[in-house]
Amino acid sequence: MTLTATDRPLPPLAPRAWLRYDVVSRIIDRLAPTTALEIGCGQGAFGARLATRADYLGVEPDADSFTVAYERITALGGTVLNAMSSELEPGATYDLVCAFEVLEHIEDDKEALAEWVTHIRPGGHLVLSVPAFQERFGPMDRHAGHFRRYSPEELTTRLEEAGLGEVDITVYGWPLGYALEAVRNRIDARKLAKVGDLTPEELTRATGRTFQPSGRLKGAVIALATSPFMALQRLRPETGTGLVAVATRLD
């Protein structure tokens, strides 16, 4: 039997990704984009879901992650390129541009946002996620190649400086995100002793491949175990470990 795109199982998500997707999916439902560009799509777990909702293009510079994403997303009708967003055709714009857990890996975040905005059609939207609150910066961030974390106020300022408006930010991850982050910090503190003098850029290339679940059964168990916490975090939309922002290109 040949599977159609709608019949194919979606890739599993890690617990933190489920918490994030709970916020993102509601935003996508509201925006209902026809075209979508994802910058830094990693192994394509979010991209596969977006590809069922819009004419989707994902770009991923890491060759290993790209290979996984290509297999997952093209089967659902989307397109994936092993490239940076700066290599896209000039002038190509989309209803939705998104970047999940990407901005914190880029040293010059102002320049990155300015470039991303050029790919949004006027009146279109940027949706992104980043880790929250610089005071929580720890071994997990250093091992992942993060340059920073953001407060809602700092992220709002960055988005407005890039020419975006109508900024709306949700803090997510309460209460499960705190426990997940504590575990990651303990694990990554040990790993940091082994990575030597790798740069944030070198660490970033591997981050999309770490702690990624595989297998339908494991994915189903994670989804089931995480679902109560997706409901709980909606009770505290100003408390948590991560931010999801949506903003509009005004010009």
Side-chain angles (χ1 to χ4, degrees), residues 126-164:
L126 175 71
V127 176
L128 58 79
S129 67
V130 293
F133 307 115
Q134 182 63 23
E135 59 267 26
R136 301 192 62 82
F137 195 96
M140 180 191 75
D141 298 284
R142 290 190 290 273
H143 187 257
H146 295 175
F147 284 97
R148 70 196 73 80
R149 298 171 74 116
Y150 294 84
S151 70
E153 296 76 17
E154 289 165 337
L155 186 57
T156 297
T157 297
R158 286 287 181 273
L159 294 173
E160 290 177 344
E161 288 172 342
L164 297 163

Side-chain angles (χ1 to χ4, degrees), residues 15-210:
R16 288 174 67 244
W18 269 120
L19 297 176
R20 189 181 312 124
Y21 189 68
D22 175 63
V23 181
V24 170
S25 63
R26 286 179 282 134
I27 294 172
I28 304 303
D29 286 343
R30 175 170 59 84
L31 298 180
T34 300
T35 58
L37 166 68
E38 184 180 6
I39 296 168
C41 67
Q43 294 188 339
F46 269 35
R49 289 162 170 81
L50 290 170
T52 68
R53 297 172 175 233
D55 183 0
Y56 171 92
L57 171 64
V59 292
E60 172 53 49
D62 177 70
D64 292 336
S65 292
F66 160 76
T67 299
V68 178
Y70 181 89
E71 194 171 309
R72 288 173 164 178
I73 292 170
T74 57
L76 293 165
T79 302
V80 189
L81 301 177
N82 185 198
M84 303 283 287
S85 60
S86 57
E87 299 174 66
L88 293 173
E89 178 184 354
T93 60
Y94 303 81
D95 297 333
L96 172 69
V97 172
C98 46
F100 305 114
E101 308 302 287
V102 175
L103 191 63
E104 68 275 10
H105 292 274
I106 301 172
E107 186 169 12
D108 191 340
D109 55 351
K110 292 183 180 181
E111 181 180 8
L113 284 168
E115 191 267 317
W116 295 355
V117 167
T118 66
H119 299 296
I120 308 171
R121 68 162 178 80
H125 298 88
L126 175 71
V127 176
L128 58 79
S129 67
V130 293
F133 307 115
Q134 182 63 23
E135 59 267 26
R136 301 192 62 82
F137 195 96
M140 180 191 75
D141 298 284
R142 290 190 290 273
H143 187 257
H146 295 175
F147 284 97
R148 70 196 73 80
R149 298 171 74 116
Y150 294 84
S151 70
E153 296 76 17
E154 289 165 337
L155 186 57
T156 297
T157 297
R158 286 287 181 273
L159 294 173
E160 290 177 344
E161 288 172 342
L164 297 163
E166 300 174 1
V167 178
D168 183 44
I169 294 181
T170 300
V171 186
Y172 75 92
W174 178 87
L176 180 61
Y178 294 104
L180 295 172
E181 195 169 273
V183 171
R184 279 290 303 273
N185 276 327
R186 292 186 65 179
I187 293 171
D188 287 349
R190 294 194 293 268
K191 289 183 176 181
L192 280 170
K194 302 177 182 179
V195 299
D197 296 324
L198 293 180
T199 66
E201 290 80 6
E202 291 169 322
L203 291 166
T204 290
R205 282 197 287 270
T207 191
R209 305 191 297 270
T210 57

